[in-house]
Amino acid sequence: MNFLYKDGLLGEGLFSSLLDSYSHSENAAKAIVNRCSYLCDKISLFIREGKGRGNSSISVASIGSGPGKEIQQLIQESDILNGCKLSLIDFDSESLLYAQEKILRLKIEYKRCFDITFIQKSVTNVLTGGFPFKDQDLIYAVGLCDYLEDSLSKALIAKLYESIRSGGVLIIGNMDPSNQTRFYIEYVMDWYLIYRTMEDLIGLASGLVPEPIVSVECEATKTNNFMVIRKP
């Protein structure tokens, strides 16, 4: 993920640099970069709405957080996260350590005031041991269900939906089958995903109680879909 976010050409030699340039120009790479901007906008909007209703301490959790690029960007852009309680959850210890080092450094550098917790958990841990926090205002998992079969995705969404409070939002991201880069990333990069249309995503939210308000959005390339589930 960090390679996709970096500016400039990487690689040793002309061929490596050209391959890097081509990879960054493809829709899947652009969609991932756009995903970060999408999340920054949604998180900022949701926090402003919450604070406007008098909720001064918004709880936000990222599942499959990776480097937490959107949190890094928000810290640098504004003080919108001040007063919030953030939780970054990932199964990979190296990703969590990297995110922790980057985010805590930026927090000090930009003099931001928020609480943040880094937790190592797999999807299985979340499903069998329970989600570690209740009454979250916003939970998002935007690069996770792309690797999970329908039954597992539905179970995870149901578990996370239980963990948001009334009026809270759950955002689930998934690559669309129209991804023009699909064959390149599979045959060249050995990167296989489970693709879902907007209708497929909505189907993963069926059966949730209480019945949620569900909408689906996408980023500029229309390669990455986002299902927004609001608990009434």
Side-chain angles (χ1 to χ4, degrees):
M1 292 300 103
N2 284 328
F3 282 125
L4 291 176
Y5 291 123
K6 285 182 178 178
D7 294 324
L9 297 179
L10 301 176
E12 298 180 3
L14 179 60
F15 177 76
S16 297
S17 296
L18 288 174
L19 188 61
D20 181 66
S21 176
Y22 176 77
S23 298
H24 277 77
S25 69
E26 287 296 292
N27 270 16
K30 291 179 179 178
I32 289 174
V33 175
N34 291 344
R35 184 171 74 187
C36 180
S37 298
Y38 172 87
L39 285 175
C40 287
D41 290 343
K42 297 298 284 190
I43 294 169
S44 297
L45 176 62
F46 190 83
I47 291 174
R48 283 195 295 268
E49 289 178 350
K51 290 182 176 179
R53 293 192 300 267
N55 185 357
S56 59
S57 180
I58 309 292
S59 298
V60 179
S62 171
I63 315 300
S65 58
K69 181 65 177 179
E70 68 284 353
I71 301 301
Q72 296 179 41
Q73 186 168 318
L74 284 171
I75 293 172
Q76 296 173 80
E77 290 179 346
S78 74
D79 62 357
I80 190 69
L81 295 176
N82 283 359
C84 293
K85 297 178 180 178
L86 310 179
S87 303
L88 269 59
I89 300 169
D90 201 290
F91 78 97
D92 185 77
S93 59
E94 290 185 5
S95 293
L96 280 176
L97 181 60
Y98 174 86
Q100 181 174 334
E101 291 175 348
K102 293 286 290 186
I103 291 171
L104 293 184
R105 181 182 60 79
L106 289 170
K107 180 184 177 184
I108 294 171
E109 180 181 347
Y110 286 85
K111 299 178 181 176
R112 306 305 187 202
C113 183
F114 57 84
D115 294 329
I116 186 164
T117 304
F118 301 88
I119 300 173
Q120 184 178 6
K121 271 184 178 291
S122 66
V123 171
T124 303
N125 294 148
V126 171
L127 291 175
T128 59
F131 188 69
F133 302 105
K134 298 295 182 182
D135 297 326
Q136 295 292 296
D137 294 292
L138 172 64
I139 299 177
Y140 59 92
V142 297
L144 184 57
C145 287
D146 306 75
Y147 302 96
L148 306 178
E149 298 292 343
D150 284 0
S151 58
L152 196 54
S153 292
K154 289 195 70 169
L156 178 64
I157 289 170
K159 179 67 69 174
L160 298 179
Y161 186 70
E162 291 175 1
S163 303
I164 57 174
R165 65 182 66 186
S166 178
V169 168
L170 170 62
I171 300 176
I172 301 295
N174 211 120
M175 286 284 191
D176 192 269
S178 64
N179 176 20
Q180 298 174 9
T181 320
R182 179 170 182 172
F183 296 110
Y184 173 70
I185 67 173
E186 288 182 355
Y187 293 114
V188 177
M189 303 175 68
D190 197 30
W191 181 16
Y192 291 86
L193 302 173
I194 297 173
Y195 294 92
R196 293 184 174 95
T197 63
M198 290 184 173
E199 292 75 18
D200 293 334
L201 269 177
I202 291 173
L204 296 179
S206 63
L208 295 178
V209 179
E211 186 175 352
I213 302 167
V214 180
S215 61
V216 183
E217 305 168 346
C218 61
E219 43 71 47
T221 70
K222 298 184 179 180
T223 302
N224 209 160
N225 298 322
F226 304 94
M227 177 167 58
V228 181
I229 306 171
R230 185 179 292 270
K231 180 181 282 189

